[in-house]
């Protein structure tokens, strides 16, 4: 042994010498059978011993190669183990961390933080998890050696069902292992998100494929109201065809023409070629290769289209159950273009019960996709999951590097004319042999007939991706067994009850918009469809300013992964109609039903998909509080609410504050404080004096989520539309099923009641207004029955802000404003930037101090006087709370006669 490792060469020489001596011992002229039997037996025994020793010569990595971009540093594993225990590092390692701009404490955290993965074998997508790990921990040369990653993972999980990056390094079954230090945090968050959030919901999607791709839910679609305004006719078809038809016109950009787009396309093509070479060693389109006969699709546009590679010697292996026949790509191309197929292959298809015309259709169907968008979107974790699913149908012979090969091939195939066919993917695939799942290919051809198509007959890439997932099932569209999600029942309020809170003969204010400083006031009135259409029309340009990429990512998840339909089947009926109106008014900028539903189910997808979706759609944080009775100067109830975000401002939210004046035909007029393109409130108040707001909170684990629940923010909208008392609002909160956890504060200005609802998808508790008239919440559960149902320990920022609110609101608080609270003092509390321990204020140039109510990264703040229907909003450049709070009298905005205005229009 040498340093704990067997000297294999010396052992091998010793074994050979011993074997030769044994052979001489038995090399006699008699008893040849004994000589042969014993000699062979000993030889086999020694051979087996050698193989075992060589297979286990290294039980764990001895060297870790730290890599950051082009810098590499070899360190003993023992140094990292010591660092985990004592937080000491060698000077060269410290220098590398400085170059990577990584704090040692952060490195320590991400090295040692554990992820629970109790049953790896139960995960059908475990290879996808291994691929994510391999980006950070794996072969020193970066090769996709997933078997070694899996060995390390299984060893790490063996004792307690958890693993950390440090354990993966320790258990890696080779002498050296690579660690991408610049990806440590990303690796942890990627894998934790995939394991605990993304895969569970995507497996749910797989069980609901009939709901996602079939027309079985036509009865649900038929509930649509006949609410077309004027000449804005809606699509008439029902079911999947109707819901998806709106996708087609705006799925992708037209063929690239501008110089900027051409530059981006050239970069995307170059990037794709480089990835092909790097990951497979094969150049997809060598210039020296003669171009083969192209299909009509491939000759439709010569603009920036890379030439086809020489595929004369490439073969396609089609897996048909136990049969694995192969066909040349050239012969397959002839079949796709002319329909001619050799008699032998026709017999093979007949045996496999595959209709040649369906086979040919699956090869030739055009899929619309923008090469530049694909290159960007498929590099996200959701994009990689999409490629992983495609890789279950089209694979390399070794079933390695499928994601890299597919990503590059898709980009090259879509270049120039903005579309591709399955045939072209096979022609451009970078390996000489390709494996294709034949049964899934045929089911894909059958499903394509159900997908929406554009004017030129192409289907959207996202629809094709959903059909790829559906092709995994032997039977998909059997409506006798389809089980769509149960639609949310309509929450109603009697007209006479609405009338109690309205002036006699009141008429809604016509839809229009006004601006007061940065704040846009938008009046909506009529049916849900009408209000959605008015929203999209009046805020069209503001919605467009969100940018193209957030909408593309929302569409990839909404259509390609089936999450938009999942949300549709769990939404309140009137919200579906409002989304239809919004989509009809903004289809030219890429909003369709699936994108709208992704945004309308935002809180649920925030919990499941986390940071994989754009920051424009989701954020973390928030504080709110209420004070009344003896706590306030005049006894009235005041409700302060801050919408916050972690670390960075979200410009789309900061610079687009919207006050929606909503006047539904069948509910209470109410206001939302929110931003363009969403049809739910961050906070709001109705004419019955009910105000509410939301703080982000999370459940401890996936078991606290409910598959069939509703969106919390949608429920908030229903409360504002129908609740006239705290008791009615509480009843809705307690009876409506929920998917995820959150914290919602609800107040009733009339009765001076309030409560903080702390809940997960399966449990709920209510913290009532304290006897002293104050109540406050940040981002953690306080109730004893809810405390253990959240991640522990409590987030430090949430705890510090909760302490500071107590110091400001409680009668004995160190900075108490108790007894003097009015709108101006509420503004002071919302602006407070004092750390509760040090009592020092954070500077204004710090966006997120993680410690104070006013320094927690506020995007927008609001103050409510629900009894007298007043709202104050602070909006503008960060720090947002330092902007003036502008007052809005809801009664005046609704046109109520003799409604009182604001005594002070602005709190400076």
């Amino acid at each position: 042994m040498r340093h704990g490792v067997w000297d294999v060469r010396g052992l091998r020489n010793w074994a050979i010498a011993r074997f030769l001596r044994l052979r001489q011992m038995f090399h006699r002229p008699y008893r040849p059978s004994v000589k042969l039997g014993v000699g062979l037996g000993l030889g086999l025994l020694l051979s087996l011993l050698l193989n075992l020793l060589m297979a286990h010569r290294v039980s764990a990595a001895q060297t870790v190669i730290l890599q950051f971009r082009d810098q590499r540093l070899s360190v003993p594993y023992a140094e990292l183990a010591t660092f985990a225990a004592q937080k000491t590092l060698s000077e060269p390692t410290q220098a590398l961390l400085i170059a990577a701009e990584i704090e040692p404490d952060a490195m320590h955290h991400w090295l040692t933080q554990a992820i629970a993965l109790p049953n790896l074998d139960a995960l059908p997508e475990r290879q996808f998890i291994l691929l994510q790990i391999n980006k950070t921990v794996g072969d020193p040369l970066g090769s996709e050696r997933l078997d070694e990653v899996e060995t390390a993972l299984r060893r790490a999980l063996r004792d307690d069902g958890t693993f950390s990056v440090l354990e993966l390094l320790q258990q890696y079954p080779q002498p050296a292992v690579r660690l991408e230090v610049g990806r440590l945090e990303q690796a942890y968050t990627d894998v934790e998100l995939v394991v605990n959030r993304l895969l569970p919901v995507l497996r749910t999607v797989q069980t609901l494929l009939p709901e996602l791709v079939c027309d079985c839910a036509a009865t649900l679609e038929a509930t649509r109201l006949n609410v077309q305004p004027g000449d804005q006719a809606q699509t008439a078809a029902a079911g999947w065809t109707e819901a998806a038809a709106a996708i087609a016109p705006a799925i992708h950009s037209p063929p690239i023409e501008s110089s900027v787009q051409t530059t981006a396309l050239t970069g995307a093509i170059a990037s794709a070629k480089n990835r092909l070479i790097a990951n497979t060693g094969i150049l997809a389109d060598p210039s020296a290769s003669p171009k083969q006969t192209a299909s009509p699709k491939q000759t439709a546009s010569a603009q920036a289209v890379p030439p086809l590679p020489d595929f004369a010697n490439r073969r396609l292996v089609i897996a048909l159950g136990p049969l694995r026949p192969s066909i040349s790509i050239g012969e397959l191309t002839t079949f796709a273009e002319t329909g001619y197929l050799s008699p032998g292959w026709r017999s093979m298809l007949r045996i496999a019960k595959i209709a040649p015309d369906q086979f040919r259709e699956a090869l030739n169907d055009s899929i619309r996709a923008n090469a530049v968008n694909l290159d960007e979107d498929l590099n996200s974790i959701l994009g990689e999951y999409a490629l992983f699913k495609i890789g279950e149908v089209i694979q390399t012979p070794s079933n390695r590097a499928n994601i890299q090969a597919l990503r590059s091939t898709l980009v090259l195939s879509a270049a120039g004319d903005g579309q591709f066919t399955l045939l072209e993917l096979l022609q451009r695939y970078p390996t000489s042999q390709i494996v294709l799942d034949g049964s899934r290919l045929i089911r894909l051809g059958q499903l394509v007939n159900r997908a929406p198509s554009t004017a030129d007959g192409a289907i959207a890439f996202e629809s094709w991706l959903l059909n790829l997932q559906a092709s995994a099932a032997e039977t998909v569209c059997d409506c006798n067994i389809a089980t769509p999600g149960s639609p949310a029942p309509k929450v109603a309020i009697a007209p006479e009850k609405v009338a109690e809170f309205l002036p006699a003969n009141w008429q809604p204010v016509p839809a229009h918009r006004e601006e007061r400083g940065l704040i846009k006031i938008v009046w909506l009135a009529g049916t849900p469809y009408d209000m959605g259409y008015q929203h999209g029309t009046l805020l069209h340009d503001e919605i467009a300013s969100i940018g193209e990429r957030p909408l593309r990512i929302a569409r990839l998840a909404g259509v390609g992964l089936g999450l938009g339909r999942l949300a549709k089947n769990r939404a309140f009926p009137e919200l579906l109609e409002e989304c239809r109106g919004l989509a009809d008014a903004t289809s030219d900028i890429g909003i369709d039903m699936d994108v709208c539903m992704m945004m309308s189910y935002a809180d649920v997808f925030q919990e499941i998909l986390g940071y994989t979706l754009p920051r424009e759609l989701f954020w973390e944080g928030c504080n709110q509080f209420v004070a009344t009775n003896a706590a306030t100067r005049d006894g009235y109830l005041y409700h302060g609410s801050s919408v916050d975000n972690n670390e960075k401002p979200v410009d789309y939210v900061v610079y687009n504050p919207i006050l929606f004046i909503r006047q539904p035909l069948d509910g209470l007029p109410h206001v939302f404080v929110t931003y363009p393109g969403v049809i739910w409130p961050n906070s709001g108040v109705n004419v019955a004096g009910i105000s509410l707001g939301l703080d982000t909170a999370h459940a401890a684990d996936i078991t606290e989520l409910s598959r069939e629940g509703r969106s919390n923010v949608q429920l908030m909208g229903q409360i504002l539309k129908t609740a006239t008392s705290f008791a009615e609002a509480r009843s809705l909160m307690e009876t409506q099923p929920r998917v995820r956890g959150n914290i919602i504060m609800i107040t009733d200005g009339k009765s001076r009641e309030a409560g903080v609802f702390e809940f997960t998808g399966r449990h709920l508790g209510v913290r009532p207004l304290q006897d002293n008239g104050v109540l406050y919440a940040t981002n953690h559960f306080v109730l004893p029955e809810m405390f253990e149902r959240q991640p522990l320990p409590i987030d430090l920022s949430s705890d510090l802000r909760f302490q500071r609110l107590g110091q400001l609101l409680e009668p004995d608080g160190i900075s108490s404003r108790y007894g003097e609270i009015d709108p101006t003092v509420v503004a002071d509390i919302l602006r407070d930037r004092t750390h509760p321990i040090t009592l020092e204020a954070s500077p204004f140039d710090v966006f997120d101090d993680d410690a104070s109510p006013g320094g927690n990264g506020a995007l927008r703040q609001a103050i409510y006087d629900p009894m007298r229907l007043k709202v104050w909003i602070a909006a503008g450049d960060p720090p947002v709370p330092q902007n003036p709070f502008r007052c809005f009298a809801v009664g005046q905005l609704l046109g109520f006669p003799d409604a009182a205005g604001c005594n002070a229009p602005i709190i400076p």
Side-chain angles (χ1 to χ4, degrees):
M1 252 208 266
R2 184 177 64 231
H3 302 300
V5 180
W6 282 97
D7 185 345
V8 177
R9 181 177 297 177
L11 179 62
R12 178 176 178 274
N13 292 337
W14 173 85
I16 291 173
R18 297 296 300 167
F19 174 71
L20 290 175
R21 287 181 191 152
L22 287 169
R23 190 176 69 171
Q24 289 176 352
M25 288 174 57
F26 289 96
H27 186 67
R28 298 175 182 176
Y30 56 91
R31 301 184 68 183
S33 62
V34 172
K35 174 181 72 174
L36 180 62
V38 174
L40 284 175
L42 288 171
L44 289 171
L45 180 62
L46 287 169
S47 176
L48 178 62
L49 175 63
L50 273 173
N51 286 335
L52 287 172
L53 288 171
M54 294 179 72
H56 295 281
R57 65 185 183 275
V58 178
S59 61
Q62 306 298 309
T63 302
V64 179
I65 300 173
L66 304 178
Q67 184 160 341
F68 175 68
R69 295 177 182 167
D70 59 348
Q71 299 183 51
R72 291 168 66 91
L73 175 67
S74 295
V75 301
Y77 167 78
E79 178 181 339
L80 296 184
T82 301
F83 172 62
Q86 304 175 10
K87 293 191 176 182
T88 57
L89 285 171
S90 66
E91 290 186 5
T93 304
Q94 292 181 47
L96 182 67
L97 294 187
I98 292 172
E101 298 182 349
I102 298 174
E103 294 290 335
D105 284 347
M107 171 105 167
H108 183 274
H109 176 78
W110 299 118
L111 268 178
T112 58
Q113 188 77 4
I115 298 175
L117 186 58
N119 192 349
L120 182 64
D121 291 319
L123 292 176
E125 302 91 344
R126 66 176 176 271
Q127 187 180 43
F128 184 67
I129 297 172
L130 298 175
L131 286 167
Q132 300 308 312
I133 295 174
N134 187 66
K135 293 178 186 177
T136 303
V137 176
D139 178 72
L141 298 179
S143 300
E144 193 176 289
R145 302 179 67 88
L146 299 187
D147 51 342
E148 294 173 355
V149 175
E150 183 170 3
T151 297
L153 181 59
R154 289 187 181 279
R155 290 177 178 177
L157 293 170
R158 189 165 43 205
D159 293 334
D160 59 1
T162 68
F163 71 95
S164 67
V165 172
L166 187 69
E167 289 176 312
L168 293 177
L169 298 174
Q170 180 188 20
Q171 301 296 345
Y172 197 76
Q174 292 297 332
V177 58
R178 166 184 50 87
L179 175 64
E180 299 276 357
V181 296
R183 278 192 50 86
L184 262 178
E185 179 179 357
Q186 192 70 36
Y188 175 84
T189 51
D190 279 357
V191 174
E192 195 277 337
L193 180 77
V194 168
V195 169
N196 291 327
R197 304 291 179 187
L198 187 59
L199 291 186
V201 77
L202 292 176
R203 282 199 297 274
T204 294
V205 170
Q206 293 294 313
T207 67
L208 301 173
L209 281 170
E211 177 181 340
L212 305 180
V213 300
C214 306
D215 291 327
C216 303
T219 54
L220 172 63
E221 302 291 339
T223 62
R224 168 182 174 180
L225 304 176
N226 183 21
V227 289
Q228 296 88 338
D231 59 354
Q232 299 296 329
Q234 302 177 60
T235 309
W240 165 253
T241 303
E242 174 194 274
I247 299 171
I251 282 297
H252 290 292
S253 304
I256 297 168
E257 296 175 357
S258 72
S259 59
V260 175
Q261 290 174 314
T262 302
T263 301
L265 176 60
T266 303
I269 293 173
S271 175
K273 291 179 181 178
N274 291 337
R275 281 195 295 267
L276 281 173
I277 297 170
N279 293 304
T280 65
I282 298 174
L283 180 60
D285 53 334
S287 57
S289 302
K291 184 173 180 177
Q292 303 298 308
T293 303
S295 67
K297 177 261 166 190
Q298 294 155 352
T299 58
S301 172
Q303 182 181 359
V305 179
L308 284 170
D310 180 3
F311 48 72
N313 296 320
R314 299 188 183 186
R315 300 194 69 80
L316 173 68
V317 176
I318 302 181
L320 296 168
L323 304 176
R324 298 179 68 85
S326 67
I327 185 173
S328 73
I329 300 298
E331 186 178 354
L332 193 69
T333 301
T334 300
F335 167 64
E337 293 175 351
T338 68
Y340 173 77
L341 195 62
S342 67
W345 260 99
R346 287 193 175 273
S347 298
M348 182 68 68
L349 295 182
R350 186 167 56 251
I351 293 171
K353 297 181 180 180
I354 296 173
D357 58 339
Q358 290 181 344
F359 189 8
R360 187 182 178 200
E361 183 178 11
L363 290 170
N364 283 325
D365 280 315
S366 290
I367 298 98
R368 179 172 295 284
N370 180 294
V372 177
N373 295 347
L374 281 179
D375 188 52
E376 184 176 8
D377 298 346
L378 295 180
N379 275 287
S380 67
I381 194 167
L382 287 179
E384 289 196 351
Y385 185 80
L387 291 169
F388 176 74
K389 301 306 290 185
I390 299 174
E392 293 179 342
V393 182
I394 307 170
Q395 302 168 356
T396 64
S398 65
N399 200 22
R400 289 181 176 178
N402 290 330
I403 287 178
Q404 295 93 328
L406 282 167
R407 179 162 47 214
S408 302
T409 305
L410 281 164
V411 171
L412 291 170
S413 299
D417 57 358
Q419 55 185 330
F420 65 89
T421 64
L422 181 57
L423 175 65
E424 186 175 1
L425 291 184
L426 298 175
Q427 290 171 333
R428 293 189 183 280
Y429 206 72
T431 57
S432 60
Q433 191 178 82
I434 311 157
V435 179
L436 185 69
D437 187 325
S439 59
R440 290 187 61 172
L441 173 66
I442 304 312
R443 291 197 288 272
L444 174 63
Q446 296 167 347
L447 287 162
V448 160
N449 293 327
R450 297 186 177 93
S453 61
T454 60
D456 60 2
I459 69 166
F461 171 73
E462 294 87 353
S463 298
W464 183 70
L465 175 59
L466 180 61
N467 284 326
L468 269 176
Q469 296 178 78
S471 71
E474 292 289 340
T475 301
V476 176
C477 290
D478 182 348
C479 293
N480 292 323
I481 62 172
T483 55
S486 55
K490 183 172 181 176
V491 179
I493 180 173
E496 55 272 19
K497 195 156 192 178
V498 173
E500 293 177 16
F501 299 92
L502 298 176
N505 303 316
W506 173 80
Q507 293 297 314
V509 178
H512 70 289
R513 65 177 274 180
E514 297 178 8
E515 296 184 13
R516 298 188 187 175
L518 185 65
I519 301 168
K520 301 167 184 68
I521 312 168
V522 179
W523 283 259
L524 308 175
T527 66
Y529 180 89
D530 288 334
M531 292 199 295
Y533 195 86
Q534 294 158 7
H535 178 167
T537 302
L538 294 169
L539 293 172
H540 182 279
D541 293 346
E542 285 79 7
I543 296 171
S545 72
I546 195 174
E548 182 186 3
R549 187 166 189 272
L551 299 180
R552 289 203 321 266
I553 296 297
R555 187 178 304 110
L556 176 65
V559 181
L561 299 180
L563 299 181
R565 175 56 74 98
L566 198 71
K568 290 176 196 174
N569 289 350
R570 287 152 183 79
F572 292 95
E574 58 268 43
L575 188 131
L576 286 174
E577 293 306 313
E578 194 165 347
C579 252
R580 292 189 200 282
L582 180 65
D584 282 354
T586 55
S587 60
D588 61 315
I589 58 176
I591 302 286
D592 54 42
M593 276 296 290
D594 290 283
V595 171
C596 185
M597 292 312 305
M598 286 293 296
M599 298 173 77
S600 301
Y601 215 52
D603 57 321
V604 174
F605 292 134
Q606 177 197 34
E607 183 75 353
I608 295 166
L609 304 177
Y611 69 91
T612 65
L613 292 176
R615 290 189 308 117
E616 289 83 356
L617 303 181
F618 311 104
W619 54 86
E620 291 279 344
C622 307
N623 321 274
Q624 54 186 322
F625 60 90
V626 63
T628 188
N629 300 328
T632 64
R633 186 182 300 276
D634 52 15
Y636 281 96
L637 183 149
Y638 297 105
H639 178 189
S641 173
S642 182
V643 175
D644 304 338
N645 189 56
N646 186 34
E647 296 183 358
K648 298 178 181 179
V650 181
D651 287 349
Y652 181 69
V653 179
V654 169
Y655 295 108
N656 285 293
I658 306 295
L659 179 64
F660 281 117
I661 313 301
R662 296 171 57 87
Q663 305 160 98
L665 282 180
D666 56 351
L668 296 163
H670 54 277
V671 302
F672 284 0
V673 179
T674 186
Y675 62 100
V678 298
I679 53 181
W680 44 262
N682 300 135
S683 61
V685 66
N686 69 14
V687 294
I690 303 298
S691 69
L692 48 65
L694 179 139
D695 291 353
T696 304
H698 300 284
D701 55 52
I702 199 74
T703 62
E704 288 288 340
L705 303 184
S706 170
R707 191 180 87 175
E708 295 297 333
R710 316 292 178 218
S711 155
N712 300 330
V713 292
Q714 287 184 26
L715 180 55
M716 289 169 65
Q718 296 296 308
I719 289 171
L720 290 177
K721 182 181 175 182
T722 64
T724 64
S725 67
F726 181 79
E728 291 177 1
R730 177 170 183 159
S731 176
L732 281 171
M733 286 296 303
E734 292 177 337
T735 58
Q736 287 291 325
R738 307 163 304 278
V739 173
R740 63 160 294 179
N742 259 322
I743 294 171
I744 293 176
M745 176 177 281
I746 300 176
T747 84
D748 185 342
K750 304 183 304 299
S751 63
R752 300 178 190 176
E753 293 178 270
V756 170
F757 293 78
E758 301 177 354
F759 56 89
T760 68
R762 300 187 180 278
H763 299 88
L764 178 145
V766 184
R767 265 198 299 134
L769 184 70
Q770 298 173 183
D771 292 340
N772 61 12
V774 300
L775 186 63
Y776 42 98
T778 51
N779 304 112
H780 65 273
F781 301 150
V782 176
L783 288 168
E785 65 267 31
M786 296 301 300
F787 191 82
E788 299 292 332
R789 303 188 187 281
Q790 65 188 327
L792 295 174
I794 293 170
D795 177 71
L796 179 60
S797 170
S798 180
D799 189 34
L800 290 173
R801 287 179 282 120
F802 192 83
Q803 291 182 48
R804 184 56 186 165
L805 287 173
Q807 292 175 350
L808 291 161
L809 293 167
E810 298 286 357
D812 58 352
I814 193 171
S815 305
S816 179
R817 305 298 300 271
Y818 190 85
E820 58 182 282
I821 296 174
D822 60 11
T824 300
V825 174
V826 173
D828 290 343
I829 294 172
L830 288 172
R831 288 168 168 164
D832 183 87
R833 301 179 68 90
T834 303
H835 192 291
I837 307 299
T838 67
L839 298 181
E840 295 179 357
S842 61
F844 288 134
D845 60 355
V846 174
F847 176 73
D848 180 11
D849 64 15
D850 273 337
S852 66
N856 192 52
L859 304 176
R860 184 172 48 255
Q861 293 188 328
I863 302 169
Y864 295 96
D865 176 349
M867 177 64 185
R868 292 175 290 194
L869 298 182
K870 303 290 195 308
V871 182
W872 291 260
I873 301 173
D877 294 329
V880 170
Q882 300 310 309
N883 290 277
F885 279 81
R886 188 177 296 271
C887 182
F888 300 89
V890 176
Q892 288 187 342
L893 295 175
L894 287 168
F896 289 179
D898 303 322
C902 295
N903 294 330
I906 285 179
I907 300 175

